[in-house]
Amino acid sequence: MTSTPEELADASRELALAALHEITPAATVGPVAGHVVESDGAVSLRFENRLSGYPGWYWTVTVAQFDDAEPTVLEVELLPGDGALLAPDWVPWAERLAEYRAHQAELAEQAAAEESAAQEESAEDDAALVDEDDDELDEDDDDHEADLLHAGDLDGVDIDELDGAEDDFDEDDSDEDDSEEDEDPEADGPGVDEEE
């Protein structure tokens, strides 16, 4: 049997946590925040509350021990701490409105700054795309010029056409030579008859 409330609080801490975890998730229970000795000798252990919407409230587990028996849980509840139920200080409407307008102006400035940054980034991206397109066009122009040079065009003159004209010219010369030989039957010598 525990002799003092402090000893009872220390001995029943694990029992109190186990009782709390039966009614609320462990994530909503914080560290030990002390204990209170009740008038009938029971001890109420307090644990910090992590539930949103309940600032200043505490999980409270009341335990007692009778004679030589083990400590037992009497009650588990969520109770407000000192000042938890007090309303905040009243602020005149004009001050609240001024704060609201100032906050809205800050939000508008932030949105404008973000939009401006987005536009600048978009402009930089567009400029980069234009530079890439220009580089690709320059490369295409170089390739096209190289194709033209390799295709036989030089300074507007098609070399292949010149080669064809030269072949035509050679054929014309050979035709003229053949016709001259045909026109001169006495090329073999004067007065020679082939049949003789």
Side-chain angles (χ1 to χ4, degrees), residues 118-149:
Q119 288 177 352
E120 288 177 6
E121 184 177 347
S122 176
E124 290 174 1
D125 291 344
D126 291 344
L129 288 175
V130 168
D131 290 342
E132 288 178 8
D133 291 343
D134 289 344
D135 292 342
E136 291 176 4
L137 288 175
D138 291 342
E139 290 175 5
D140 291 343
D141 289 344
D142 293 342
D143 293 341
H144 184 63
E145 289 175 5
D147 292 342
L148 289 177
L149 289 175

Side-chain angles (χ1 to χ4, degrees), residues 73-93:
V73 174
L74 301 178
E75 202 167 33
V76 179
E77 54 196 340
L78 183 62
L79 295 175
D82 296 337
L85 299 179
L86 296 177
D89 293 338
W90 182 77
V91 178
W93 168 247

Side-chain angles (χ1 to χ4, degrees), residues 7-177:
E7 291 175 354
L8 177 60
D10 291 338
S12 59
R13 184 170 294 127
E14 294 301 322
L15 177 65
L17 280 173
L20 275 175
H21 294 162
E22 289 181 9
I23 65 166
T24 186
T28 65
V29 180
V32 176
H35 65 275
V36 176
V37 179
E38 305 294 342
S39 59
D40 57 0
V43 176
S44 294
L45 286 84
R46 296 172 61 175
F47 297 86
E48 290 183 9
N49 167 48
R50 291 183 176 166
L51 281 173
S52 59
Y54 290 90
W57 289 58
Y58 295 92
W59 290 108
T60 306
V61 180
T62 304
V63 294
Q65 185 176 25
F66 301 100
D67 298 331
D68 293 335
E70 293 293 323
T72 184
V73 174
L74 301 178
E75 202 167 33
V76 179
E77 54 196 340
L78 183 62
L79 295 175
D82 296 337
L85 299 179
L86 296 177
D89 293 338
W90 182 77
V91 178
W93 168 247
E95 291 181 21
R96 285 182 281 157
L97 181 61
E99 289 177 4
Y100 172 79
R101 288 181 175 167
H103 181 64
Q104 293 301 315
E106 288 176 8
L107 292 177
E109 289 176 6
Q110 183 179 0
E114 290 175 358
E115 183 177 353
S116 175
Q119 288 177 352
E120 288 177 6
E121 184 177 347
S122 176
E124 290 174 1
D125 291 344
D126 291 344
L129 288 175
V130 168
D131 290 342
E132 288 178 8
D133 291 343
D134 289 344
D135 292 342
E136 291 176 4
L137 288 175
D138 291 342
E139 290 175 5
D140 291 343
D141 289 344
D142 293 342
D143 293 341
H144 184 63
E145 289 175 5
D147 292 342
L148 289 177
L149 289 175
H150 290 296
D153 293 338
L154 184 61
D155 294 334
V157 177
D158 189 356
I159 296 174
D160 294 335
E161 289 180 8
L162 291 177
D163 290 342
E166 185 177 327
D167 292 341
D168 292 342
F169 180 72
D170 291 341
E171 289 176 6
D172 291 343
D173 289 346
S174 63
D175 290 344
E176 288 177 6
D177 292 342

